[in-house]
Amino acid sequence: MKAVTILKYDETNPVLELREKEIPVPKDNEVRIKIYASPINPSDLMFIRGLYGFKKKAPVSAGFEASGTVDAVGSAVSSLKVGMKVSCVAPQNDGSWAEYMITTEENCLPLLDTISLDEGSSFFVNPMTAWAMVDKCQKENHPAMIQTASASALGKMVVRLCKEKNIPLINVVRKKEQEETLLAIGAENILNSESPNFAKELFKISKRLNATYAIDAVAGDTAKALLECMPYAGKIVCYGALSEKPFPINAGIMIFQNKKVEGFWLSSWIYQIGLKEFQNQALEAQKHLKTIFQTKINKKFDFENFEEGLEFYKNHMTEGKVVFGPKS
């Protein structure tokens, strides 16, 4: 089989190549997935550069999530059968940018008959992260929320999900064309972080809506502005760092305004709520894959052209998903 393989992690020039590998055989508690499509996510770019929260021992296949069909199952696997369509994520070994992937039963979600493999290819990382963070906003009884990177695939999902749940939402972008993209899907309260009046406008509108909850994928100066402009007892949930910059926190804000910063990682959330509850919530979220969590696939590249695919994605990140797959 062919697999896009990381040979060396590097912040500026990671070394990847397409390798021929033996098709792996699943152990008793494992399944083998014949990959149909595997998207590129910002987390994948961070991972291959060695900037993610962990590293796998190189050489190792890249890629976090995919869709495909169950190709073989171990003797201890009970819920998955050969031929089933699934959305899946990689375990701690080889990833999903390959023609086949070994993973575990709990890392697979069977797809409904109405869901295509294209739709299921981007089910784990973005939809479930959006689902979990908006659910957290509701359960903590925040009146309104703010999000950065609002024109991203995940950001658009949050726009639609908040509309469905009647949660007032402030959307932060950094380019004029991103404002127009969000207006086209019905977003409101759009602010441009590059505007000279950004902090002033953010302060006014977050106070008016009492937006005490924010999700941030940028870090740096944008997150700093959020924390400073949010109302009393505001909280930022950080789930990304697209700026690749830290942000300073004024201790007085934490002490006297009761503001908080915490992180979100999907894997930790799944562990926290338990596998059974995650599967129940994922089944409910899956029903919205054609609507709220609809993901536009901008372009497909076969594994042989992975370098071109990575470059294309870096230059078109907000224009839809770029996915890898075997030659059709």
Side-chain angles (χ1 to χ4, degrees), residues 263-281:
F264 178 89
W265 187 36
L266 185 63
S267 297
S268 297
W269 177 73
I270 294 170
Y271 179 80
Q272 178 186 348
I273 67 173
L275 181 60
K276 186 173 182 180
E277 176 61 20
F278 168 69
Q279 289 174 334
N280 289 337
Q281 293 204 34

Side-chain angles (χ1 to χ4, degrees), residues 19 25 30 44 59 64 68-69 76 157 165 174 177 238 245 279 308:
R19 285 198 164 183
V25 177
E30 294 177 334
D44 291 304
F64 280 139
T69 54
M157 292 175 186
K165 294 178 176 291
R174 62 185 180 88
E177 57 266 31
C238 298
K245 295 178 181 177
Q279 289 174 334
E308 183 185 349

